[in-house]
């Protein structure tokens, strides 16, 4: 192991004890009790991680962080803060610290943190290398990745699979988040162990907690026997936390602890259970915005977002449409005992132009409907659902439009409303439901856009 860690701490005893601990773990360790001297060291030597105190004479940890990052953005800085001063930790994270640890330092936690940071570093540099390579080294059967955006997604998924790093998959509804989560699992050394999914949107706060961690008999009314949680079911494998943006703050704290300490407690028990589970989380929400609004814990967000995989919407990768047609037509025709060889050129044209607000899932449903309706060996325009071929003017407008961001957003919103109204057979209550907004809100939008 030839990783170098620089420890900056003005208290001599602390400095020696931390440096001693890290040396024993096999790292090359540099010490400095003065931030200015630390800067000099970082200038002269290759350093992977700087572990710095927050309050020091001459320069605060945050100032040191800024100077280090300016010198070499690749250096990862972990800040040590006094217990309870979360603001300073948050400030440090905003300025680019990779992590923070509170004093008194828990050496086990420090060890895990350093390990994670180095693991992530290796991944990041591998990813950079990967972007330069065009060859597809990992093939995931049954996942269409004709577009460069999607093949990049698979590349990252393939690379990250072998590690234990936490993965955060983001993307609109139906883009294939769960599919990629499974791909990560089955390409990982954990493939023979369980892949367990938990959908956080479907469960109340109380149920979610016992679903995740299990509970002891009698821990709440109705808990008539001990029950294992998903963490225990997934032991040795992968836990897929779906809709992670829906997790209430109180449970975010608990999950954060599991990520940090690799152990948890069942509801109604104080016994700590060790866990070896790889976490893959997914969301269609903007977690960074939620952090800003105080709806998602910043520290939890950073723990989840060790490796980020963003799946672009289907309308941004239209090269995938033709191979998706092939895949789904073949599969669904076989399931329905039909012989269908493809789609007409005109129908293909419609499929290419439609905006696909529901992404690949919507696409699959459309193929499904068309296969059922199809009377020949080829799917024609008339076999496609109305919304796909009637919406042309709106869709083209959205797809091809140039203009300001706000104009595009409005155009997109309009096309979504039209699509929802079609889907709902013009029943406004139903359309509002599909869009996830209130009926009054929908009526307001219709009026605003002069739609009838
Ligand atoms: N690239 C792809 N190739 C083949 N099939 C795909 C691809 N992407 C998605 N699918 C299929 O589309 C459907 C939706 O995918 P999935 O359930 O993974 O989406 P999701 O992002 O989790 O959606 P949601 O946000 O609604 O939960 C699944 O049947 C999946 O197999
Ligand atoms: Mg999903």
């Amino acid at each position: 192991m030839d990783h170098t860690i620089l420890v900056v701490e003005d208290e001599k005893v602390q400095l020696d004890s931390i440096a001693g601990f890290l040396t024993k773990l096999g790292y090359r360790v540099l010490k400095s009790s003065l931030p200015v001297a630390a800067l000099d060291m970082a200038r002269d030597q290759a350093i992977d991680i700087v572990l710095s105190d927050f309050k020091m004479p001459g320069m605060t940890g945050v100032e040191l962080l800024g100077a280090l990052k300016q010198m070499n953005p690749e250096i990862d800085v972990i800040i040590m803060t006094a217990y309870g001063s979360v603001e300073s930790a948050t400030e440090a994270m905003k300025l680019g610290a990779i992590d923070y640890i509170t004093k008194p330092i828990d050496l086990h936690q420090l060890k895990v943190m350093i390990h994670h940071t180095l693991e992530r570093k290796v991944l990041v540099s591998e990813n950079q290398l990967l972007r330069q390579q065009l060859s597809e080294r990992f093939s995931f059967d049954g996942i269409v990745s004709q577009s460069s955006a999607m093949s990049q997604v698979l590349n990252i998924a393939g690379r990250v699979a072998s590690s234990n790093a936490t993965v955060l998959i983001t993307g609109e509804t139906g883009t294939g988040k769960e599919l990629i989560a499974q791909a990560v699992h089955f390409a990982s050394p954990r493939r023979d162990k369980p892949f367990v999914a938990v959908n956080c949107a479907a469960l109340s706060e109380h149920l979610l907690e016992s679903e995740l961690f299990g509970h002891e008999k009698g821990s709440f009314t109705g808990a008539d026997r001990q029950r294992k949680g998903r963490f225990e079911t997934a032991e040795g494998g992968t836990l897929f936390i779906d809709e992670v943006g829906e997790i209430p703050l109180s449970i975010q704290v608990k999950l954060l602890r599991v990520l940090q300490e690799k152990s948890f407690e069942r509801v109604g028990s104080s016994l700590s259970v060790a866990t070896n589970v790889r976490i893959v989380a997914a969301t269609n929400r903007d977690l960074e915005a939620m952090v800003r609004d105080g709806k998602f814990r910043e520290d939890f967000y950073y723990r989840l977002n060790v490796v980020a995989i963003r799946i672009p919407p289907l309308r941004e990768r239209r090269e995938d449409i033709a191979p998706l047609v092939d895949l789904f037509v073949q599969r669904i025709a076989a399931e329905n005992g039909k012989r269908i060889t493809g789609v007409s050129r005109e129908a293909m044209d419609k499929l290419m132009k439609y905006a696909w607000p529901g992404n690949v899932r919507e696409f699959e449903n459309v193929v499904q409907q068309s296969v059922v309706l199809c009377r020949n060996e080829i799917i024609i325009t008339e076999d496609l659902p109305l919304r796909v071929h009637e919406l042309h003017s709106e869709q083209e407008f959205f797809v091809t439009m140039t203009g300001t961001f706000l104009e595009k957003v409005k155009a997109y919103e309009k096309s979504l409303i039209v699509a929802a109204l079609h889907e709902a057979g013009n029943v406004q209550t139903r359309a509002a439901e599909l869009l996830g907004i209130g009926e009054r809100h929908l009526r307001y939008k219709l009026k605003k856009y002069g739609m009838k």
Side-chain angles (χ1 to χ4, degrees):
M1 222 190 293
D2 52 350
H3 288 295
T4 304
I5 303 172
L6 168 59
V7 188
V8 193
E9 160 71 68
D10 58 325
E11 255 177 66
K12 188 87 177 60
V13 183
Q14 273 271 20
L15 178 64
D16 287 340
S17 110
I18 295 172
F21 174 71
L22 293 175
T23 309
K24 256 193 241 142
L25 290 179
Y27 298 112
R28 194 167 86 89
V29 180
L30 302 171
K31 296 191 287 185
S32 168
S33 52
L34 267 184
V36 202
L39 265 183
D40 283 337
M41 285 184 183
R43 198 169 287 124
D44 299 337
Q45 317 203 31
I47 289 170
D48 295 292
I49 297 181
V50 175
L51 183 63
S52 170
D53 191 14
F54 188 75
K55 273 201 189 120
M56 291 174 296
M59 198 187 255
T60 68
V62 167
E63 284 165 337
L64 176 63
L65 166 73
L68 283 168
K69 281 280 171 190
Q70 202 168 25
M71 199 159 73
N72 177 5
E74 310 258 289
I75 291 188
D76 283 327
V77 181
I78 297 175
I79 297 283
M80 302 183 277
T81 61
Y83 176 75
S85 64
V86 186
E87 306 81 47
S88 49
T90 312
E91 191 191 343
M93 295 295 269
K94 276 190 192 130
L95 288 168
I98 190 93
D99 215 332
Y100 69 87
I101 186 164
T102 46
K103 289 181 170 186
I105 306 284
D106 171 345
L107 290 178
H108 175 71
Q109 193 191 351
L110 179 64
K111 175 177 152 184
V112 173
M113 198 178 273
I114 300 247
H115 181 77
H116 276 174
T117 305
L118 290 171
E119 196 174 56
R120 182 185 161 280
K121 232 185 161 66
V122 172
L123 277 171
V124 168
S125 59
E126 279 182 356
N127 272 340
Q128 281 164 351
L129 254 181
L130 256 173
R131 283 198 202 107
Q132 296 153 12
Q133 298 174 353
L134 274 171
S135 66
E136 267 251 42
R137 293 246 256 112
F138 293 87
S139 81
F140 291 106
D141 289 345
I143 303 183
V144 167
S145 61
Q146 185 77 33
S147 63
S148 65
M150 207 53 206
S151 73
Q152 203 167 350
V153 164
L154 289 197
N155 270 326
I156 300 176
R159 275 314 181 101
V160 80
S162 59
S163 78
N164 282 321
T166 304
V167 180
L168 178 63
I169 306 174
T170 54
E172 287 178 11
T173 175
T175 43
K177 296 185 292 295
E178 181 149 8
L179 189 67
I180 294 300
Q182 285 171 347
V184 167
H185 173 74
F186 287 107
S188 82
R190 296 171 178 267
R191 71 178 71 88
D192 296 327
K193 294 280 164 61
F195 174 89
V196 175
V198 54
N199 184 342
C200 303
L203 298 162
S204 71
E205 176 165 352
H206 175 65
L207 276 179
L208 180 60
E209 182 175 2
S210 94
E211 201 56 48
L212 286 168
F213 307 117
H215 60 245
E216 296 294 339
K217 183 177 170 177
S219 53
F220 53 86
T221 341
D224 46 9
R225 57 196 166 109
Q226 192 208 55
R227 189 166 181 280
K228 272 191 186 175
R230 305 277 169 112
F231 268 99
E232 278 171 277
T233 318
E235 180 60 23
T238 305
L239 181 64
F240 176 53
I241 307 186
D242 203 2
E243 315 273 8
V244 72
E246 312 306 316
I247 299 185
L249 288 162
S250 66
I251 296 185
Q252 291 177 25
V253 191
K254 297 196 169 141
L255 279 169
L256 174 68
R257 271 202 45 217
V258 183
L259 287 174
Q260 279 171 341
E261 292 163 23
K262 313 273 175 241
S263 67
F264 63 90
E265 284 114 44
R266 295 194 193 108
V267 176
S269 156
S270 54
L271 193 77
S272 155
V273 183
T275 169
N276 167 19
V277 164
R278 198 263 181 87
I279 307 282
V280 177
T283 182
N284 55 16
R285 308 264 300 248
D286 179 353
L287 290 188
E288 274 180 34
M290 290 181 70
V291 167
R292 258 177 269 129
D293 295 344
K295 299 210 172 79
F296 205 84
R297 288 184 65 107
E298 190 165 28
D299 44 10
F300 183 44
Y301 172 67
Y302 282 112
R303 286 276 176 212
L304 282 178
N305 198 28
V306 177
V307 177
I309 297 184
R310 178 187 169 269
I311 310 183
L314 187 55
R315 63 182 173 280
E316 284 175 18
R317 45 180 170 104
R318 292 180 186 270
E319 306 92 305
D320 288 342
I321 289 179
L324 280 172
V325 169
D326 288 345
L327 178 74
F328 291 147
V329 167
Q330 244 184 30
R331 185 192 293 166
I332 297 168
E335 280 168 13
N336 286 273
K338 282 192 158 184
R339 192 186 134 75
I340 298 176
T341 51
V343 298
S344 73
R345 264 186 76 166
E346 200 197 22
M348 190 63 183
D349 191 49
K350 306 280 182 196
L351 292 174
M352 289 294 284
K353 283 185 175 143
Y354 182 61
W356 301 111
N359 294 293
V360 186
R361 175 170 306 107
E362 183 186 13
F363 192 91
E364 200 175 352
N365 289 340
V366 163
V367 173
Q368 178 96 46
Q369 284 184 44
S370 313
V371 164
V372 171
L373 291 179
C374 180
R375 274 173 297 201
N376 296 298
E377 291 197 354
I378 287 189
I379 293 173
I380 56 172
T381 310
E382 284 65 38
D383 300 329
L384 301 176
L386 276 182
R387 69 177 187 284
V388 176
H389 60 92
E390 272 199 346
L391 281 172
H392 253 169
S393 53
E394 293 284 348
Q395 296 301 334
E396 269 166 321
F397 176 50
F398 159 63
V399 172
T400 57
M401 191 188 56
T402 51
T404 67
F405 176 73
L406 267 184
E407 284 164 347
K408 283 185 197 158
V409 170
K410 276 189 194 154
Y412 183 39
E413 191 170 66
K414 252 175 101 169
S415 61
L416 283 180
I417 292 174
V418 176
L421 282 167
H422 267 274
E423 176 98 32
N426 275 326
V427 181
Q428 289 189 8
T429 329
R430 175 91 191 95
E433 242 169 55
L434 286 172
L435 292 162
I437 61 179
E439 204 184 339
R440 274 182 57 184
H441 192 172
L442 176 62
R443 274 203 298 275
Y444 163 78
K445 296 267 177 198
L446 288 171
K447 206 168 148 206
K448 177 173 146 196
Y449 292 130
M451 297 161 78
K452 195 64 238 149

